[in-house]
Amino acid sequence: ERCFMRTKNRFRIILFLFATLTAGASLAEKPPLIGELSNMDLQFMAEQRQSLQDLAAINLGREFSGDKARDLDLLQTLLDRQLVRADQVRELQAMGVIMGDLLAADLDMHWVIYEDAEGRSRALRYENSDYYLFPITMIARRREVGNQTSVQEIYQKAYDIISESRPALPFQ
């Protein structure tokens, strides 16, 4: 009878573990929710752009213009001159918004809210596809861990990921 009880308890433990693991797997497989930016998101992103614009104008006498080469260079200059440091997460993320605007313009992408088990993020989406970029954290996460990859390289890598995923245009 004792042996039977041990076997029964082991079976319950195995069943419990299996149920827990499969429940976790089904949560992870839940597709993300995609939505439009709220007015608060739009306002916050506008404030981020403006704060970086002010920083560049005051310290460098330059402004962001929407010209990719100039703006990427200006972002890099802010980092090189340590006007934005690795511990300034808000400013680093503002840099990601500016870089995201450039990527959106170059790749015909648009800002969306991407919500999954990890949380809520502002992301770029290519058309209505499942191709997303998360530029707000691309510079910040690297700098926070001491990675000195240039802004141009980060931009190009993100650009290439989406560019290679897009369907070819007819007659090209």
Side-chain angles (χ1 to χ4, degrees), residues 42-162:
L42 293 168
Q43 181 180 348
F44 182 70
M45 290 171 72
E47 289 170 4
Q48 285 183 300
R49 289 179 190 100
Q50 190 59 53
S51 70
L52 217 55
Q53 187 78 279
D54 294 345
L55 182 68
I58 290 167
N59 291 284
L60 302 170
R62 294 170 59 189
E63 293 185 348
F64 293 98
S65 64
D67 177 87
K68 180 178 72 173
R70 289 187 61 214
D71 287 356
L72 292 177
D73 180 63
L74 184 49
L75 291 172
Q76 188 65 52
T77 301
L78 290 170
L79 293 171
D80 292 345
R81 294 197 184 171
Q82 296 192 3
L83 296 169
V84 177
R85 297 179 315 275
D87 62 339
Q88 294 177 289
V89 176
R90 181 172 284 234
E91 289 81 359
L92 290 166
Q93 289 182 351
M95 295 175 84
V97 171
I98 299 232
M99 188 175 70
D101 290 341
L102 297 170
L103 286 162
D106 280 353
L107 293 166
D108 195 28
M109 297 182 82
H110 60 279
W111 288 102
V112 296
I113 295 301
Y114 182 101
E115 195 166 355
D116 63 7
E118 299 293 318
R120 184 180 186 276
S121 302
R122 288 178 299 279
L124 287 176
R125 184 180 194 184
Y126 177 67
E127 295 181 347
N128 286 325
S129 71
D130 288 332
Y131 298 121
Y132 299 92
L133 291 175
F134 299 86
I136 292 176
T137 56
M138 286 179 181
I139 298 169
R141 289 203 174 152
R142 285 172 173 83
R143 290 290 164 150
E144 288 172 337
V145 296
N147 181 320
Q148 300 295 310
T149 303
S150 75
V151 173
Q152 175 62 41
E153 287 177 71
I154 296 168
Y155 177 92
Q156 193 61 52
K157 183 175 181 182
Y159 181 91
D160 291 345
I161 287 169
I162 297 300

